[in-house]
């Protein structure tokens, strides 16, 4: 039969393992977390390209409609040429025609640039969507694999729960409730391993608490080593046990 200290050390170990398994069960595996990040990063890029393409298309349409308007004006001016009576009117009309022609030229340049931007964004969008499809499929695969793994992990969790119950049965009610209060206060780490602070082998040995580093008196180490006594750290109040290096 194990000493109460051995049982409590085993209980803490099992509880820590259980917490790990449960957080795995309720969370996303690391491999998927990375995929998930890639997934949303790609989605953001696609959104940005979509709005760039839409904006370029809008610019192009604006320029095209301005071209149509200006050409309409130009037609009107040209029809007027036959109607002018004075040299001055003629010169003014020619000036209007020149201005309209150069305006069309500028607008055509704008429309072309917008079309180039639009085409480029559409091409990139196509590539991104293709890559996204692959990523999406990979994500689906990982999800399927994780779903297949889950029952095994859940089974491990229930085995650990049963072990916890059994180990709790080895403790007196008083010790168990003291341990549970400590667990609540320390967020799941009620025990601290005693460690040897000075390992040079010269001079007196000095021990400390593995959780808070507070000095552990030699008398405590002796009582734990010889009698499996349930003693606590003077500072953090965790129950002490001898770590591998103490
Ligand atoms: Zn401590």
């Amino acid at each position: 039969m194990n000493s109460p200290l051995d049982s409590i050390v085993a209980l803490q170990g099992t509880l820590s393992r259980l917490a790990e398994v449960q957080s795995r069960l309720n969370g996303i595996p690391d491999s998927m977390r990375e995929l998930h990040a890639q997934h949303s990063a790609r989605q953001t890029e696609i959104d940005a390209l979509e709005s760039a393409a839409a904006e370029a298309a809008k610019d192009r349409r604006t320029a095209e409609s301005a071209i149509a308007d200006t050409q309409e004006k130009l037609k009107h001016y040209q029809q007027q040429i036959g109607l002018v009576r004075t040299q001055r009117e003629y010169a003014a009309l020619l000036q209007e025609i020149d201005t309209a022609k150069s305006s069309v030229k500028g607008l055509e340049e704008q429309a072309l640039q917008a079309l180039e931007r639009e085409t480029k964004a559409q091409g990139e969008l196509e590539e991104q969507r293709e890559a996204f499809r692959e990523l999406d499929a990979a994500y689906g695969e990982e999800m399927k694999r994780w779903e297949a793994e889950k029952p095994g992990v859940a089974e491990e969790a229930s085995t650990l729960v049963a072990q916890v119950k059994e180990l709790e049965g080895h403790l007196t009610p008083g010790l168990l409730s003291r341990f549970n209060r400590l667990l609540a206060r320390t967020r799941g780490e009620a025990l601290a391993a005693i460690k040897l602070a000075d390992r040079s082998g010269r001079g007196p040995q000095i021990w400390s608490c593995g959780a808070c580093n507070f000095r552990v008196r030699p008398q405590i180490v002796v009582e734990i080593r010889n009698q499996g006594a349930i003693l606590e750290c003077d500072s953090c109040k965790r129950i002490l046990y001898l770590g591998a290096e103490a």
Side-chain angles (χ1 to χ4, degrees):
M1 181 70 187
N2 289 338
S3 75
L5 185 58
D6 290 337
S7 295
I8 228 170
V9 169
L11 178 57
Q12 174 69 75
T14 310
L15 283 170
S16 299
R17 176 88 189 112
L18 178 61
E20 246 177 66
V21 169
Q22 276 169 340
S23 99
R24 234 184 107 202
L25 204 55
N26 298 327
I28 302 174
D30 287 346
S31 58
M32 290 201 55
R33 206 164 295 154
E34 198 176 313
L35 261 181
H36 185 76
Q38 286 177 6
H39 204 265
S40 25
R42 190 78 74 173
Q43 184 65 64
T44 307
E45 282 173 38
I46 287 175
D47 291 348
L49 282 170
E50 273 172 352
S51 57
E55 189 148 325
K58 193 177 148 215
D59 289 351
R60 177 180 51 76
R61 283 193 301 270
T62 305
E64 280 169 356
S65 109
I67 289 169
D69 287 352
T70 314
Q71 269 166 347
E72 201 53 44
K73 253 192 238 166
L74 203 51
K75 217 156 80 189
H76 177 69
Y77 294 147
Q78 274 157 349
Q79 282 163 355
Q80 283 185 314
I81 287 182
L83 304 174
V84 295
R85 290 158 191 255
T86 67
Q87 191 65 27
R88 222 170 122 192
E89 277 175 358
Y90 185 69
L93 197 53
L94 279 188
Q95 181 64 48
E96 293 282 15
I97 288 171
D98 271 358
T99 305
K101 277 183 176 167
S102 87
S103 165
V104 166
K105 216 170 153 191
L107 286 165
E108 278 173 347
E109 187 59 35
Q110 277 178 32
L112 187 64
Q113 279 173 6
L115 179 64
E116 278 168 4
R117 272 192 288 135
E118 190 184 347
T119 309
K120 187 163 172 274
Q122 291 287 9
E124 283 174 29
L125 201 50
E126 213 42 56
E127 279 174 37
Q128 290 279 3
R129 280 184 180 142
E130 184 58 41
F132 190 68
R133 269 193 286 279
E134 287 167 27
L135 194 65
D136 215 26
Y139 192 80
E141 278 300 308
E142 280 298 322
M143 186 60 103
K144 231 193 279 175
R145 192 179 314 165
W146 170 230
E147 288 301 331
E149 251 178 63
K150 258 185 177 174
V153 180
E155 203 182 309
E156 192 183 353
S158 50
T159 304
L160 288 166
V161 167
Q163 284 173 7
V164 165
K165 282 248 174 322
E166 199 203 324
L167 287 164
E168 282 176 345
H170 294 174
L171 304 178
T172 63
L175 183 53
L176 181 58
S177 70
R178 178 178 163 194
F179 176 74
N180 283 333
R181 277 198 307 276
L182 261 174
L183 264 185
R185 193 170 64 73
T186 57
R187 293 184 190 185
E189 289 298 329
L191 302 192
I194 296 172
K195 57 181 189 179
L196 203 48
D198 177 16
R199 306 196 62 185
S200 69
R202 286 184 196 139
Q205 287 182 309
I206 294 170
W207 290 273
S208 63
C209 167
C212 73
N213 275 323
F214 196 78
R215 176 113 180 240
V216 175
R217 286 172 284 122
Q219 182 60 29
I220 286 185
V221 178
V222 169
E223 282 179 40
I224 291 171
R225 184 177 287 151
N226 296 348
Q227 301 149 38
I230 308 284
L231 296 168
E232 61 188 33
C233 168
D234 288 335
S235 173
C236 70
K237 309 296 179 196
R238 285 180 175 84
I239 294 170
L240 295 166
Y241 67 99
L242 291 171
E245 45 170 301

